[in-house]
Amino acid sequence: FGRLSLAVLLLTASGGVYAAAAARPSEPWIAADGVGTAEAAPSHATFWLHAATAGAASLPEAAEALAGLERKVRTELDEFGLTPAEIQAAAVAVGRPDSGNAQRSVRVRFSLAPFANPDKGPVLFAELVEDMRAVAAAADATIDPPVFEVADPDGMIAEAVARAVENAYPAAEAAADVMGAQLTVVQGVDVGAIRWNETPGYPAAEPTLRRLTCTAEVRVVYVFSMRR
């Protein structure tokens, strides 16, 4: 490794060296990558409904045609006996002055507490999805697939980052042992990609009613000193 005080080792979490460069002259350091995943059961599911007008005689006419979208959605939800936790309508978005086009969306959010049973929950949720498709059709709208959400996304990110930092340590420690050195302090942590529902090495579909994941990638820089 040459002069250890001038060496920098960049390692993957599995311990492989993939690059080398000049270190800071005053303190030798090792950088190791780590990946960590946090998981939790989702708390809510959100459906987005979208409606549009095309080729109206004027933009005011196009906007007026969408003014009642929220009312239509609420009426159809009542007809199907659905009780969402939240309904929020976006403002009408109009197109070019000569287009006669306008768009509007409505967000419908449901608590997932009624679907917690591992056997009956998926069937009941599938029925909700079918009902929401019917609500959208009756309101002359299209609908996006449901989006699962957690109550505390920032907390999940923090947990994933903490696990990634923990997972970076063994590779750095192994490299220090090879050099007859010891890690003394964490110089810094660079947080890279944050990905939702893309757990490395997990082949099953994500998310589900019981599992939503957050995966973080980090690079941890450790200062090391030579053992005497």
Side-chain angles (χ1 to χ4, degrees), residues 109-124:
R109 190 168 183 252
F110 290 88
S111 168
L112 291 180
F115 309 98
N117 184 287
D119 297 321
K120 297 181 179 180
V123 176
L124 294 175

Side-chain angles (χ1 to χ4, degrees), residues 17-33:
V17 178
Y18 65 82
R24 302 162 189 168
S26 61
E27 49 183 8
W29 54 277
I30 293 173
D33 290 345

Side-chain angles (χ1 to χ4, degrees), residues 60-166:
E61 181 180 317
E64 180 65 26
L66 299 178
L69 177 61
E70 181 181 0
R71 176 181 50 79
K72 288 182 182 180
V73 170
R74 289 182 180 274
T75 298
E76 295 303 325
L77 288 169
D78 289 341
E79 287 290 328
F80 280 87
L82 301 178
T83 54
E86 181 183 7
I87 303 172
Q88 187 174 44
V92 176
V94 297
R96 300 191 315 271
D98 60 345
S99 67
N101 299 340
Q103 299 179 6
R104 194 178 192 192
S105 300
V106 176
R107 176 177 179 261
V108 183
R109 190 168 183 252
F110 290 88
S111 168
L112 291 180
F115 309 98
N117 184 287
D119 297 321
K120 297 181 179 180
V123 176
L124 294 175
F125 187 75
E127 293 175 354
L128 172 64
V129 173
E130 286 297 306
D131 287 345
M132 286 301 299
R133 287 179 58 191
V135 166
D140 299 318
T142 60
I143 187 169
D144 291 342
V147 177
F148 289 162
E149 304 167 351
V150 290
D152 183 16
D154 290 342
M156 279 195 71
I157 292 173
E159 181 180 349
V161 169
R163 292 187 178 186
V165 170
E166 181 180 351

